[in-house]
């Protein structure tokens, strides 16, 4: 992939598994380049660079601070455990680095607001690492949902994000450790479900959030599986439920039901394939006479990609950074606001679980 003359230079702090995917995305993005990688030791950084075939010119640092202090780094990608986000994202912003932060963005809304304030007051762009929002399929789904005749009014939604894990994961993975990723499955996979439901509802917050009475917590109190219901009151009333889990087989479902149409897909977070993706859509379907069948089957709506969704995410982030860096523009508020609303609802789900599945009014 040929690079533009003045690409946005990325530093990565932390050698998490997800950083492999994002470093590949940075390499594929025309307006971004991987400039530096920092780990807690120089050996770890070197091993990560070697394992992932990094270009020899990528700088390697034995600390996160050195990445943040490098004046050539424009932006940092932060894939650290969630409990470390507030410290390092704030420090990055204070060092005038634009921040691409892995999800969940923080352990709670107060921490995220601290990060967003630091980005805002230092004039740097913030975006979280939710990749599927950047897939062209998502834009296509939005187009069809917005068709008042085809889809009608959105009435109900269901989303799931689950995978099943080994004993080793439950004993050792950071995602089940209270001091590292205390939100467990809610933070890791529930983030996507909440985000998809808010996306479908055009980011209108629900009036009430009530967790389903079936949360599964480990001995340390970290959520391994949970579900939740949302309710929007008033004229545009609708409901949603989701289920997130480390205990069920892989699933990534999104189902949206409107007054005159419905939309389904089973791979909304990570599409089955990189180069194309689809969703099922049907409008105006009726049962046949005697209800022995339907008059219509859903249509597969297919979308093709030239670049993978995580590369499109990096490209969008680099585009916004470029406006600030080279045209004296201001940070864009769309992406931080999406993160803020997702985190706000996540806090409410957690609170509902902690209070014994009580409704929480927003
Ligand atoms: C529902 O969808 C069908 C087929 O797309 C269309 O013909 C019909 O006019 C729609 N109905 C309403 C109430 O919008
Ligand atoms: C990439 O950078 C070039 C030149 O700086 C610019 O013309 C182009 O629009 C950028 N592309 C994206 C996707 O931001």
């Amino acid at each position: 992939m040929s690079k533009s003359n003045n690409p946005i230079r990325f530093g990565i702090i932390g050698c998490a598994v997800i950083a492999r995917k994002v470093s590949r995305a940075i390499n594929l993005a025309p307006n971004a380049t991987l400039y530096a990688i920092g780990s807690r030791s120089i050996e770890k950084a070197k091993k990560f660079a070697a394992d992932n075939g990094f270009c020899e010119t990528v700088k390697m640092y034995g600390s996160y601070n050195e990445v943040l202090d490098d004046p050539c780094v424009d932006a940092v990608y932060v894939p650290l455990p969630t409990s470390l986000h507030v410290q390092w994202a704030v420090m990055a912003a204070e060092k005038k680095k634009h921040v691409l932060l892995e999800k969940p963005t923080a352990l709670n809304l107060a921490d995220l607001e601290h990060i967003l304030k630091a980005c805002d007051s230092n004039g740097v762009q913030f975006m979280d690492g939710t990749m599927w929002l950047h897939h062209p399929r998502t834009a296509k789904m939005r187009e069809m949902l917005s068709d008042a005749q085809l889809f009608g009014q959105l009435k109900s939604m269901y989303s799931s994000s689950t995978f099943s894990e080994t004993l080793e994961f439950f004993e050792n993975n950071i995602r089940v450790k209270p001091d590292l990723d205390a939100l467990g499955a809610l933070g890791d996979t529930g983030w996507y479900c909440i985000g998809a439901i808010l996306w479908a509802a055009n980011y209108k917050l629900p009036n009430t959030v009530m967790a389903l009475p079936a949360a599964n917590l480990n001995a340390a109190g970290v959520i391994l599986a949970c579900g939740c219901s949302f309710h929007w009151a008033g004229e545009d009333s609708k409901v949603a439920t989701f289920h997130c889990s480390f205990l069920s087989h892989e699933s990534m479902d999104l189902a949206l039901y409107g007054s005159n149409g419905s939309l389904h897909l089973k791979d909304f977070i990570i599409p089955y394939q990189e180069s194309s993706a689809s969703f099922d859509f049907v409008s105006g379907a009726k049962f046949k006479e005697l209800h022995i069948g339907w008059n219509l089957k859903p249509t597969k709506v297919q979308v093709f990609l030239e670049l993978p969704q995580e590369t499109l995410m990096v490209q969008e982030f680099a585009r916004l950074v470029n406006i600030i860096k080279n045209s004296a523009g201001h940070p864009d508020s769309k992406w931080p606001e999406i993160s803020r609303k997702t985190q706000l609802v996540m806090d409410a789900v957690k609170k509902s679980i902690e209070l014994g599945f009580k409704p929480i009014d927003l």
Side-chain angles (χ1 to χ4, degrees), residues 40-313:
R40 280 172 294 174
S41 74
I42 189 77
E43 290 72 30
K44 268 188 83 182
K46 280 183 179 160
K47 180 167 189 313
F48 190 80
D51 288 351
N52 293 289
F54 285 1
C55 184
E56 278 170 19
T57 56
V58 174
K59 287 210 174 164
M60 283 172 273
Y61 290 123
S63 71
Y64 306 148
N65 271 319
E66 285 169 279
V67 176
L68 301 186
D69 285 331
D70 187 324
C72 290
V73 170
D74 298 308
V76 283
Y77 168 60
V78 183
L80 297 170
T82 313
S83 61
L84 299 176
H85 283 186
V86 64
Q87 176 192 349
W88 289 101
V90 166
M91 190 148 5
E94 284 169 352
K95 303 238 164 126
K96 311 288 182 202
K97 308 302 185 198
H98 304 275
V99 177
L100 179 59
L101 182 62
E102 200 38 70
K103 42 57 59 179
T105 49
L107 291 177
N108 53 54
L109 182 62
D111 277 1
L112 175 60
E113 284 187 333
H114 191 167
I115 296 171
L116 296 180
K117 196 174 273 179
C119 288
D120 199 52
S121 58
N122 287 286
V124 296
Q125 184 65 47
F126 174 90
M127 186 188 275
D128 78 52
T130 307
M131 297 161 180
W132 72 272
L133 288 171
H134 302 271
H135 197 293
R137 175 174 64 180
T138 307
K140 185 67 189 169
M141 292 194 292
R142 162 72 68 224
E143 186 190 312
M144 300 193 74
L145 293 177
S146 308
D147 189 318
Q149 230 202 344
L150 274 185
F151 187 73
Q153 256 197 330
L154 180 61
K155 292 294 180 191
S156 77
M157 303 167 245
Y158 171 72
S159 171
S160 81
S161 176
T162 65
F163 57 85
S164 59
E165 272 300 343
T166 57
L167 201 57
E168 205 273 328
F169 174 95
F170 291 111
E171 281 169 2
N172 298 319
N173 196 277
I174 63 162
R175 286 179 280 185
V176 294
K177 299 284 182 197
D179 52 334
L180 296 171
D181 271 309
L183 295 168
L186 178 61
D188 190 33
T189 65
W191 175 270
Y192 293 115
C193 301
I194 294 169
I197 288 166
L198 288 175
W199 170 82
N202 273 317
Y203 294 102
K204 189 170 178 224
L205 291 176
N207 299 91
T208 312
V209 168
M210 186 161 74
L212 303 178
N216 189 320
L217 279 61
N218 71 9
V222 175
I223 296 166
L224 301 181
C226 72
C228 191
S229 65
F230 301 133
H231 180 234
W232 288 257
E235 239 171 78
D236 191 20
S237 90
K238 48 188 170 278
V239 293
T241 56
F242 80 78
H243 180 69
C244 64
S245 175
F246 291 153
L247 306 172
S248 303
H249 179 264
E250 266 77 351
S251 79
M252 299 180 162
D253 292 5
L254 180 59
L256 305 172
Y257 310 93
S259 51
N260 197 35
S262 64
L263 186 158
H264 288 88
L265 65 163
K266 292 183 176 166
D267 61 346
F268 83 95
I269 305 163
I270 301 174
Y272 292 130
Q273 291 172 348
E274 244 189 355
S275 56
S276 73
S278 68
F279 59 92
D280 286 342
F281 192 87
V282 66
S283 170
K286 298 282 173 215
F287 305 128
K288 285 183 192 164
E289 212 186 334
L290 302 184
H291 292 193
I292 52 173
W294 298 47
N295 67 338
L296 283 177
K297 276 192 192 169
T299 309
K300 216 166 249 321
V301 181
Q302 193 134 18
V303 177
F304 296 91
L305 290 89
E306 280 174 23
L307 293 170
Q309 60 177 359
E310 56 275 13
T311 302
L312 296 174
M313 173 183 79

Side-chain angles (χ1 to χ4, degrees), residues 1-7 25-33 307 311 315:
M1 182 67 63
S2 70
K3 295 280 177 184
S4 66
N5 290 334
N6 195 9
I26 294 168
N27 278 326
L28 289 172
N31 284 17
T33 191
L307 293 170
T311 302
Q315 182 168 290

